[in-house]
Amino acid sequence: SHAADIISTVEFNHSGELLATGDKGGRVVIFQQAQENKTQSHSRGEYNVYSTFQSHEPEFDYLKSLEIEEKINKIRWLPQKNAAQFLLSTNDKTIKLWKISERDKRPEGYNLKEEDGRYRDPTTVTTLRVPVFRPMDLMVEASPRRIFANAHTYHINSISINSDYETYLSADDLRINLWHLEITDRSFNIVDIKPANMEELTEVITAAEFHPNSCNTFVYSSSKGTIRLCDMRASALCDRHSKLFEEPEDPSNRSFFSEIISSISDVKFSHSGRYMMTRDYLSVKIWDLNMENRPVETYQVHEYLRSKLCSLYENDCIFDKFECCWNGSDSIVMTGSYNNFFRMFDRNTKRDITLEASRENNKPRTVLKPRKVCASGKRKKDEISVDSLDFNKKILHTAWHPKENIIAVATTNNLYIFQDKMN
Amino acid sequence: QDMQEKEPITPERAEEVKLKAKYPSLGQKPGGSDFLMKRLQKGQKYFDSGDYNMAKAKMKNKQLPSAGPDKNLVTGDHIPTPQDLPQRKSSLVTSKLAG
């Protein structure tokens, strides 16, 4: 399989009917859930390919001798307003608004043109007819409607659509910009953490997101493990945060790796807007927006890696950026790990589970078997030892259907869609 | 004579000791600006834009010599293009391990 097939982002739309993936080759593939079969009430619709298009192409910045990768970093859907669907997709430098529309009829019976498009000799036209729409095989077309370019010096890591559905933010390592979906020739800079002297650089922006309900509120996370909540009503440039979320560190535990593993790779608000979740290298943390000094819940994703940090630093895995997601009711959170494992944490029962996305248990209707990693000591049957884990098989991107228990899990080259067993 | 009880070393500290044993010159502040600058400079590639444009113009006028058994071999009057350059892993001016 090609490097271009590496999946780099996965996102359900607001109804869950559509699932978009972006890859390293700059392509977007959209899957659509088949209509529920009324007779087979115990199976939800399967997801089939709906549309594929090339969103971004590789570019070369001659002035800086920089290659601009076509890899899609993020996709975010707009809520549906009419028959067409809209999504934003971004690579390192350019955000594009795509319109995906269906065409299932075409006009036939023109007076001046043949059906194949050739023009008729006007002198042969002796009668007039009204062209009519006739059904045709469904065609799904994607067209770029807006291109938001040249606003980021550094690499875009996040885009987030505001709850006003008119504006959105884009964040790179050092700056966050606010855009209007209709306006491509300018954006407002709302966060700038670039120091006057780059030698003084101590942290970068790792992720940013708008609050799901308050259109004036957004958060951004940093490589030092902090999250800042900003209110756009306070000032035009939100360099001063309204809230700073940071868990105090035990100084006796500090090591060379502390800052690297505290770097937040993803931040996601709960659907309710009351909580936010952050993912750092070893854990997932839930924060109450009303409490800045520590998270309210912490879940260990793969604590057994703490005694492997030396080799994970050497092979660069310690810099892997895992994402995380909420289920529709905010009761379960999910994130990926290595060896094609992914983890789910039930916030109510405090139970957690490790599952594997692989071809072996990909047969339809097979119930996934829970996995267990043996950290040390005697390995039980069916357990996998830490040293047997494949660190090239990483699940960085996962998504949860907004309403149902259907999840999308991306391994390096493959997309897995799982749903819970229906009785 | 006071015998101080040895504090158990955390797994993280043990890993740090291991890393520093392998790379003695490793700097004290990994989160410092060198490390972050590497992150900001991802994607840097170097080539001569003059050569590139000349090659583009040349290729329009004549066929490229047909690829021999080794398609990856770039020799003779084939001017390197950005696409030909091997993926260059971004590196600091000094290696991250050289502190």
Side-chain angles (χ1 to χ4, degrees):
Chain A
S1 51
H2 300 127
D5 293 336
I6 294 173
I7 298 170
S8 49
T9 186
V10 182
E11 186 83 355
F12 280 100
N13 76 336
H14 291 249
S15 67
E17 185 206 356
L18 299 177
L19 175 67
T21 62
D23 67 22
K24 196 160 187 280
R27 290 166 303 196
V28 171
V29 180
I30 302 176
F31 299 85
Q32 182 188 43
Q33 190 177 27
Q35 289 298 330
E36 259 183 60
N37 191 328
K38 294 288 191 283
T39 58
Q40 281 183 288
S41 59
H42 44 264
S43 81
R44 292 190 200 88
E46 280 186 4
Y47 281 82
N48 302 307
V49 177
Y50 176 70
S51 172
T52 306
F53 57 93
Q54 187 76 34
S55 173
H56 287 70
E57 299 275 2
E59 285 173 55
F60 207 92
D61 179 341
Y62 296 110
L63 192 62
K64 298 177 190 172
S65 272
L66 275 180
E67 184 186 48
I68 300 169
E69 256 196 304
E70 65 275 34
K71 173 168 74 86
I72 308 296
N73 294 334
K74 286 284 172 358
I75 289 172
R76 290 287 182 263
W77 289 92
L78 266 73
Q80 191 173 13
K81 288 190 293 188
N82 52 40
Q85 299 276 358
F86 288 86
L87 59 80
L88 285 177
S89 70
T90 188
N91 69 349
D92 282 340
K93 297 286 183 183
T94 304
I95 307 127
K96 295 187 184 182
L97 176 69
W98 287 89
K99 176 179 179 182
I100 296 106
S101 47
E102 294 185 356
R103 194 196 290 260
D104 62 358
K105 13 181 198 300
R106 65 157 172 255
E108 288 177 13
Y110 283 109
N111 291 290
L112 297 176
K113 276 198 287 191
E114 303 286 359
E115 293 308 333
D116 62 9
R118 283 178 302 141
Y119 280 98
R120 292 169 71 186
D121 178 353
T123 59
T124 66
V125 179
T126 53
T127 57
L128 282 180
R129 56 189 176 170
V130 178
V132 291
F133 277 101
R134 291 252 144 77
M136 60 180 255
D137 286 338
L138 179 68
M139 229 171 67
V140 181
E141 302 170 323
S143 60
R145 305 302 286 177
R146 306 268 186 278
I147 296 182
F148 305 92
N150 302 321
H152 286 278
T153 307
Y154 302 98
H155 299 113
I156 298 173
N157 53 57
S158 310
I159 46 175
S160 177
I161 298 171
N162 204 349
S163 53
D164 64 10
Y165 301 145
E166 287 186 351
T167 58
Y168 74 94
L169 63 77
S170 58
D172 67 32
D173 292 311
L174 297 178
R175 297 192 179 101
I176 302 179
N177 293 328
L178 180 71
W179 302 82
H180 192 285
L181 284 164
E182 300 288 327
I183 299 168
T184 57
D185 63 354
R186 79 197 90 144
S187 68
F188 288 105
N189 177 245
I190 53 177
V191 173
D192 188 338
I193 65 167
K194 182 169 189 243
N197 181 359
M198 283 298 269
E199 301 279 304
E200 291 161 24
L201 181 68
T202 56
E203 67 184 323
V204 295
I205 297 168
T206 53
E209 190 173 67
F210 264 120
H211 190 275
N213 308 316
S214 302
C215 59
N216 47 272
T217 303
F218 65 93
V219 292
Y220 68 92
S221 57
S222 85
S223 52
K224 275 183 146 175
T226 64
I227 310 100
R228 286 173 175 79
L229 184 141
C230 300
D231 186 333
M232 295 195 292
R233 294 169 301 188
S235 66
L237 188 60
C238 297
D239 276 358
R240 284 219 297 274
H241 52 263
S242 297
K243 294 193 183 191
L244 174 66
F245 297 83
E246 189 173 13
E247 184 166 24
E249 193 196 6
D250 181 357
S252 64
N253 279 339
R254 187 154 183 87
S255 77
F256 174 84
F257 304 108
S258 298
E259 194 173 302
I260 301 173
I261 63 172
S262 73
S263 176
I264 291 170
S265 49
D266 195 15
V267 64
K268 293 263 175 42
F269 278 105
S270 63
H271 293 89
S272 64
R274 191 175 150 198
Y275 298 98
M276 65 179 175
M277 162 168 55
T278 57
R279 175 67 155 98
D280 51 71
Y281 191 61
L282 297 178
S283 68
V284 157
K285 294 178 181 170
I286 312 285
W287 304 78
D288 184 322
L289 294 189
N290 297 316
M291 180 155 48
E292 296 168 63
N293 59 358
R294 59 179 171 81
V296 289
E297 295 156 40
T298 300
Y299 301 103
Q300 301 302 336
V301 180
H302 37 218
E303 178 67 14
Y304 46 79
L305 295 183
R306 200 179 289 269
S307 50
K308 300 288 172 196
L309 292 177
C310 177
S311 47
L312 292 168
Y313 179 86
E314 289 180 285
N315 63 19
D316 273 352
C317 283
I318 205 174
F319 303 109
D320 284 338
K321 299 189 180 70
F322 292 94
E323 291 172 12
C324 53
C325 62
W326 299 82
N327 74 339
S329 59
D330 297 335
S331 60
I332 303 176
V333 295
M334 174 168 70
T335 191
S337 179
Y338 295 103
N339 210 67
N340 283 344
F341 288 170
F342 57 100
R343 304 264 284 134
M344 288 189 204
F345 303 93
D346 188 319
R347 300 176 61 213
N348 298 323
T349 65
K350 300 302 179 195
R351 293 213 316 253
D352 63 85
I353 192 168
T354 305
L355 298 169
E356 183 179 359
S358 77
R359 290 208 182 278
E360 290 155 16
N361 44 7
N362 192 28
K363 300 186 195 71
R365 312 250 148 64
T366 312
V367 174
L368 293 176
K369 194 170 110 177
R371 301 286 177 212
K372 191 139 167 49
V373 177
C374 169
S376 60
K378 202 165 161 56
R379 187 178 72 87
K380 298 201 189 81
K381 175 178 178 311
D382 283 351
E383 281 185 355
I384 295 130
S385 82
V386 182
D387 297 311
S388 312
L389 295 175
D390 188 341
F391 291 96
N392 291 317
K393 293 188 180 165
K394 43 194 108 182
I395 291 178
L396 303 174
H397 313 287
T398 60
W400 204 303
H401 190 290
K403 302 186 170 81
E404 299 175 36
N405 279 344
I406 300 173
I407 58 174
V409 174
T411 59
T412 307
N413 293 102
N414 293 305
L415 181 71
Y416 291 80
I417 298 174
F418 300 110
Q419 47 195 43
D420 69 357
K421 201 167 75 149
M422 292 179 84
N423 303 319
Chain B
Q1 207 177 353
D2 257 322
M3 289 287 278
Q4 279 200 318
E5 195 164 297
K6 222 181 171 179
E7 242 185 65
I9 190 166
T10 65
E12 227 176 280
R13 279 279 178 80
E15 290 295 296
E16 180 176 357
V17 167
K18 224 192 280 179
L19 190 68
K20 294 216 164 135
K22 278 194 185 181
Y23 309 102
S25 54
L26 199 54
Q28 277 304 112
K29 275 199 67 149
S33 60
D34 276 350
F35 171 66
L36 291 176
M37 289 302 279
K38 167 183 172 178
R39 187 194 172 121
L40 297 180
Q41 276 167 18
K42 165 199 127 177
Q44 202 85 28
K45 274 196 172 178
Y46 296 95
F47 85 128
D48 186 317
S49 63
D51 284 343
Y52 171 70
N53 284 308
M54 274 179 56
K56 256 192 9 184
K58 220 176 184 179
M59 280 182 229
K60 277 197 189 130
N61 297 331
K62 82 165 189 228
Q63 288 291 336
L64 280 174
S66 55
D70 187 347
K71 286 195 174 145
N72 292 325
L73 198 61
V74 174
T75 59
D77 60 352
H78 181 110
I79 307 286
T81 61
Q83 288 77 14
D84 292 336
L85 289 175
Q87 188 75 31
R88 181 167 176 269
K89 190 174 159 142
S90 64
S91 56
L92 295 171
V93 171
T94 57
S95 153
K96 71 182 177 187
L97 300 169

